[in-house]
Structures are given as C-alpha cells and as structure tokens.
C-alpha cells in the first residue's frame, strides 16, 4: 500500500501559497456550488472553471489521471446502466434495448459534476500539507478529540499496515491461510477463522501499543489543560482574502444561475 | 460502499453534513461525559488505523474475494468512539485513495456511522437483556453476529436507497423498487458473512483480550 499524501505540496503556485483556512473554505464552497448544478448549459462553465483552477495549481496531469481511476470505476457502473433504464424519450432502439434522452443527460450531468468536484478536491489536498489542512480544520472549529484522532491515526497507519503485512507473511510461512481466492476451497471455514484470528491479533497489538502511546503522551503533558487550550491563529494575508472572495463569487454565481436564471 | 462525488444533489450533500454534525456532536458529548476523555483518544486512533488496514484486506469468498466493511465490529469495540473513528477513516480514504468524496463526505459518514452506533447499542443490549448470562460465549457470539450483520445490512440499505432515489433522471417507481430489492437481496450473503466474521472475531477477542471489549463498557456505556 502506497500512502503518498503530500507528494506535490512542495511545488510553487498561486494555489500552493493560498492560506490553508481560506483554501479550505473556498474549495468547499466551489464543491458545494458544483453539486448544486442541475442545468446542462452550466456544465461547460463548470469544466472551464475547473480546468483553469487546475492549471493555476501546477499539479501534473498524471496526478489527476491516477486519482480519477478508482472512483471512476464506480461511476462507470452508473454510466453504463442509466441511459438504458431511466427516462421516457426514446433516442435509439434495437429490439429490447432502448436508449433514453433523459438517461443520457443524467450521465452527462453526473460525469461532469464528478470530474469537477473531484478535481477541486484534488487541488485542495494536493497543494496543502496534510498537517496544515488539519490545523486549518482545527482553527475553524474541529473538535480537539477529532483532530487528535486524525493525527494519531495518520501517524500510526503506516506502522499498523506494516504490522499487518508482517503478520500475514508470518502466518503463511507457518502454513496458515493463504489469503487468495486461488487457494483450495475445501477449508473455507478454517480460512475464515484464521483471518478472524489474524485481525483479532492486529487489534490486540494496536490496543497494547495505544496504551504505551498514551503513557508516553501523558508524560509529555498530553491531556493537561495548558496543552489542550485554544490554538494559535496566525493572521491571514490580504491576498488570500481576495482569492477567497474571488472563488466565493464564482461559487455564488453558479448557485444563483442554477436557482434564479430561466432555462434557455 | 462509498458514494462518489457528482451523483447526489447539493441538498442531500448538505443534509448529510448536517446529520453528520449532529451525530458527531452527540458522540463527542457522550465521550466528554467520561472522567478522562483524552484517555480513549490514542486507543480509538490506533484501533481506527487497525480497522482501516484490516478493511483493505481481501477475504477469499470462492470463486472471488471480498473485503469486509467492519462498521458493526467498530461499533462493538469502540462504542461512542465509533462515529469519530468512521469520520477519520472516511477522511483518510477520501484524501488518500479517492474512495467517496468531499461533497458526499457527510452522506457517507451517515451511511457507515449510524449503523455502527446501532450495532454498538445492539451488542450492548445483551447485558441488559440477559444479565444472568454475562459469561455465556454463545450469547456473545449471537449478539456479535447481529451487530456485524446489522452494521453492513443497514449501511447497504442506506447506500442503495440514496443512490437509486437520487439519480437525476427519474426511474419509474416500480423500476426503483425492483432495483432496490435486487441489490439488497444480492447483499444478503455478504451481510451474513460479515455477521459470522464479526462473531468469530469478537469471540477471539473475548478469549484472548477480554478487556478490549470490556473497556468499552467501563468508559463509555451505550
């Protein structure tokens, strides 16, 4: 498993230098505005804004291609099905197979919204270090329990994943279950029990490690009121405010166009 | 079982965020009622990491293989920490792998998190319903099975209902109902399998490290 969260955060671009709190608010506003869009004539504008935003971020296209792949598979299921089962206006028919206009329009809408929202989300996480994003969330009011849990989970995810891989290898070397569908089917129940024991052991190890981690954190002052008080908020540069206002205006214009303008 | 970006309209996404905020507030309120709320944070975080890694593991189900959702088990082991744990897990999955999305984050948290809390309450009800049989292993197994199956079953029901009922083009009511029924029936074997797996794992934990299950009873009673 490759965990490459901060691969492109060191690059230089106007989006990289945008202050994390403003970037978070601006990107979320744009994402929700894109989710509002139902009218097909707004889709070219949505793609245009997304592409301009992406080009400003100077993130490589390979990053976008790679990250679109997995969620795209789920979408493919809907794209392949909806035109044939949804709608009333027949566009094309051959024996029992019928393609509906409303279904095709729905596919266009879903795909464009998916592409635009995912791209904006990638710009947000691709140009901001994970810890800065967490700090921004914390300063915007995220609970300290949630912030600490996220940070510790991220910190120990690598360790736990390595632990699991080592335990799997050890189990296989001792003649235990091979976790592959190609393995013999006859001992399926015994394999399921072995996997349960493997994951149970992983949970126990993680639990014991958490006890040690908590003691170490306590010794460093964790849980003391002085260390869990209000967090320091650095001032936001004026340029970041202006960028936020610009992005906010774009997001608002999509919402207004969707809600107020008549259908052409 | 995560809804990607672009499928749901904004009203549902915002509604999902509102419901998630409310459930997170409720869970955190319950956690903050314990004598030392910060004590459970490292435990919940490391167990979240373990669940996260475990959910990536594929289990052979001939002729293919599946991976477990484990939200029922998360509820059984973490109690009220299960909802924050699911928020953290979904956030990391969305950021690292693109599973789910930022616009649908709230909806996905509801789909996974509320069944986890229901599963936790179900497992905990064992002590209230059968106080005289506190050490009966078969009873622990039955309630763990119900918790595991309920976690994934409810999540599947919420997931498919939201996806099918919110497609932009209207399906007719009969087609919607047929699609929903077919998909849910197709999920029955997986629900049973997840229930069996949860029961096996909880029985293993009860035998080897019972305090991992009892910790939940001590610190945050559901």
């Amino acid at each position: 498993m490759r965990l490459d969260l901060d691969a492109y955060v060191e690059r230089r671009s106007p989006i990289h230098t945008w202050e994390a709190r403003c970037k978070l608010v601006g990107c979320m506003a744009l994402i929700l505005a894109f989710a509002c869009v139902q009218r097909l004539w707004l889709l070219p504008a949505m793609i245009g804004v997304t592409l301009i935003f992406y080009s400003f971020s100077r993130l490589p296209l390979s990053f976008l291609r790679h990250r679109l792949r997995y969620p795209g598979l789920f979408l493919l299921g809907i794209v392949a099905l909806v035109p044939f089962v949804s709608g009333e206006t027949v566009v094309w028919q051959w024996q029992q197979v019928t393609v509906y206009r409303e279904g095709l329009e729905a596919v266009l809408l879903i795909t464009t919204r998916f592409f635009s929202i995912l791209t904006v989300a990638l710009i947000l996480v691709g140009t901001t270090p994970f810890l800065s994003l967490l700090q921004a969330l914390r300063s915007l009011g995220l609970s300290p329990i949630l912030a600490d849990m996220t940070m510790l989970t991220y910190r120990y995810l690598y360790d736990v994943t390595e632990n699991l891989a080592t335990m799997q290898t050890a189990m296989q070397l001792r003649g235990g279950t091979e976790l592959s569908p190609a393995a013999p089917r006859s001992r399926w129940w015994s394999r399921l029990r072995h996997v349960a024991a493997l994951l149970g052991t992983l949970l126990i190890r993680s639990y014991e490690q958490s006890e040690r981690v908590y003691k170490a954190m306590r010794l460093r002052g964790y849980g003391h009121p002085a260390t869990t008080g209000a967090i320091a908020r650095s001032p936001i540069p004026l340029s970041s405010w202006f960028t936020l206002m610009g992005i906010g205006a774009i997001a608002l214009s999509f919402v207004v166009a969707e809600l107020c303008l008549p259908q052409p | 079982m995560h809804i990607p970006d672009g499928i749901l309209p904004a009203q549902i996404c915002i509604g999902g965020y509102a419901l998630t905020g409310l459930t997170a507030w409720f869970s955190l309120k319950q956690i903050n009622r314990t004598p030392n709320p910060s004590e459970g944070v490292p435990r919940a975080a490391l167990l979240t990491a373990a669940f996260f890694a475990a959910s990536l593991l594929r289990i052979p189900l001939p002729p293919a293989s599946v991976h477990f959702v484990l939200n029922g088990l998360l509820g059984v082991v973490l109690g009220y920490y299960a909802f924050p744990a699911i928020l953290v897990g979904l956030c990391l999955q969305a950021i690292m792998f693109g599973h789910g999305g930022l616009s649908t984050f709230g909806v996905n948290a509801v789909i996974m998190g509320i069944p986890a809390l229901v599963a936790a309450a179900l497992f905990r009800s064992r002590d209230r319903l059968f106080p005289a049989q506190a050490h009966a292993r078969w009873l622990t197994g039955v309630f763990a099975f119900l918790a595991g199956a309920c976690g994934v079953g409810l999540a599947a029901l919420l997931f498919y209902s939201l996806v099918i009922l919110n497609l932009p083009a209207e399906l007719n009511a009969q087609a919607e109902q047929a699609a929903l029924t077919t998909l849910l029936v197709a999920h029955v074997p997986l629900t049973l399998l997840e229930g069996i797996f949860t029961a096996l794992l909880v029985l293993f934990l009860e035998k080897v490290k019972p305090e991992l299950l009892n910790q939940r009873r001590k610190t945050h009673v559901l």
Side-chain angles (χ1 to χ4, degrees):
Chain A
M1 188 171 74
R2 191 165 163 245
L3 306 170
D4 47 357
L5 268 187
D6 295 342
Y8 299 105
V9 293
E10 299 299 330
R11 293 191 168 203
R12 293 184 64 80
S13 80
I15 312 292
H16 281 82
T17 51
W18 194 9
E19 204 272 338
R21 280 168 288 179
C22 292
K23 199 191 302 185
L24 185 65
V25 173
C27 287
M28 282 312 290
L30 206 54
I31 283 173
L32 287 176
F34 286 166
C36 276
V37 171
Q38 304 275 348
R39 299 177 187 219
L40 294 180
W41 60 273
L42 281 172
L43 298 185
M46 202 159 90
I47 291 183
V49 168
T50 308
L51 292 178
I52 292 169
F53 200 29
Y54 197 79
S55 68
F56 272 117
S57 73
R58 292 184 195 150
L59 291 168
L61 272 177
S62 57
F63 177 60
L64 182 62
R65 261 202 320 270
H66 174 71
R67 300 299 294 262
L68 280 172
R69 202 176 302 153
Y70 178 83
L73 285 177
F74 177 85
L75 202 73
L76 205 63
I78 289 183
V79 168
L81 196 69
V82 169
F84 300 101
V85 295
S86 183
E88 288 170 348
T89 319
V90 177
V91 175
W92 180 80
Q93 192 167 25
W94 180 70
Q95 295 188 352
Q96 297 297 315
V97 183
T98 311
V99 177
Y100 298 99
R101 186 184 158 185
E102 291 83 357
L104 286 174
E105 287 175 355
V107 164
L108 192 64
L109 185 65
I110 289 174
T111 330
T112 313
R113 278 201 315 217
F114 164 79
F115 170 76
S116 298
I117 294 173
L118 197 73
T119 307
V120 174
L122 283 182
I123 293 170
L124 174 66
V125 299
T127 60
T128 323
F130 181 68
L131 291 179
S132 306
L133 210 54
L134 208 58
Q135 266 178 341
L137 279 166
R138 177 80 185 86
S139 66
L140 289 170
L142 182 75
S143 144
I145 289 182
L146 268 172
D148 289 350
M149 271 182 72
T150 311
M151 211 156 61
L152 282 168
T153 305
Y154 177 54
R155 158 69 182 82
Y156 286 100
L157 191 54
Y158 299 85
D159 286 355
V160 171
T161 309
E162 270 182 30
N163 241 337
L164 180 62
T166 310
M167 284 161 61
Q168 260 181 283
T169 311
M171 192 174 81
Q172 282 167 16
L173 287 173
R174 288 192 197 110
T177 306
E178 192 186 338
L179 298 178
S180 148
R185 295 178 193 182
S186 52
R187 288 183 294 138
W188 179 81
W189 173 251
S190 133
R191 275 194 284 167
L192 196 66
R193 287 185 64 182
H194 278 126
V195 178
L198 174 76
L199 295 191
T201 311
L202 180 74
L203 290 182
I204 291 167
R205 280 188 180 194
S206 304
Y207 172 73
E208 286 171 348
Q209 191 180 0
S210 77
E211 301 280 296
R212 294 193 296 274
V213 168
Y214 178 64
K215 282 176 189 155
M217 285 165 69
R218 286 283 293 176
L219 287 173
R220 292 187 188 116
Y222 179 71
H224 192 268
T227 60
T228 52
I231 59 156
R233 286 183 175 84
S234 55
I236 297 172
L238 206 59
S239 58
S240 287
W241 278 116
F242 283 128
T243 316
L244 176 61
M245 280 191 278
I247 293 291
I250 293 171
L252 194 65
S253 60
F254 273 100
V255 178
V256 170
E258 179 61 40
L259 297 178
C260 304
L261 294 185
Q263 191 81 26
Chain B
M1 217 179 284
H2 304 327
I3 300 180
D5 288 313
I7 290 182
L8 299 179
Q11 304 91 300
I12 303 289
C13 297
I14 293 167
Y17 268 107
L19 202 53
T20 294
L22 204 66
T23 317
W25 169 81
F26 173 74
S27 300
L28 292 171
K29 195 180 157 200
Q30 299 300 323
I31 291 168
N32 282 324
R33 277 170 55 186
T34 58
N36 187 4
S38 60
E39 188 186 353
V41 170
R43 185 177 60 244
L46 265 95
L47 290 174
T48 305
F51 277 109
F52 189 97
S55 70
L56 299 172
L57 198 66
R58 300 191 75 80
I59 315 292
L61 179 69
S65 65
V66 294
H67 77 87
F68 289 123
V69 179
L70 299 178
N71 60 340
L73 183 65
L74 202 71
V76 169
V77 175
L78 291 181
Y80 282 118
Y81 280 94
F83 197 79
I86 279 174
L87 289 182
V88 171
L90 284 176
C91 171
L92 290 176
Q93 279 186 333
I95 291 176
M96 293 198 297
F97 307 114
H99 297 201
L102 287 190
S103 70
T104 52
F105 179 77
V107 174
N108 286 328
V110 169
I111 290 174
M112 302 296 286
I114 289 181
L117 290 179
V118 172
L122 192 64
F123 186 70
R124 185 71 189 99
S125 69
R126 167 204 194 284
D127 292 347
R128 279 195 292 273
L129 294 173
F130 302 95
Q133 291 172 295
H135 300 290
R137 275 176 63 78
W138 70 271
L139 208 56
T140 308
V142 168
F143 274 84
F145 170 83
L146 289 175
C150 165
V152 76
L154 267 180
L157 178 69
L158 287 170
F159 174 82
Y160 289 120
S161 304
L162 278 166
V163 170
I164 291 173
L165 300 177
N166 288 291
L167 283 176
E170 294 296 321
L171 283 174
N172 65 51
Q174 271 186 331
E176 269 177 3
Q177 206 175 358
L180 198 59
T181 313
T182 311
L183 289 167
L184 288 176
V185 167
H187 249 82
V188 168
L190 294 179
T191 304
L192 294 175
L193 188 66
E194 179 112 8
I196 293 169
F197 187 74
T198 306
L200 286 173
L201 221 154
V202 168
L203 288 173
F204 175 83
L205 291 177
E206 196 180 53
K207 193 173 168 185
V208 181
K209 194 83 175 172
E211 60 264 42
L212 214 158
L213 296 171
N214 296 334
Q215 196 75 35
R216 179 187 54 76
R217 292 176 193 169
K218 272 189 265 170
T219 55
H220 35 93
V221 176
L222 265 168

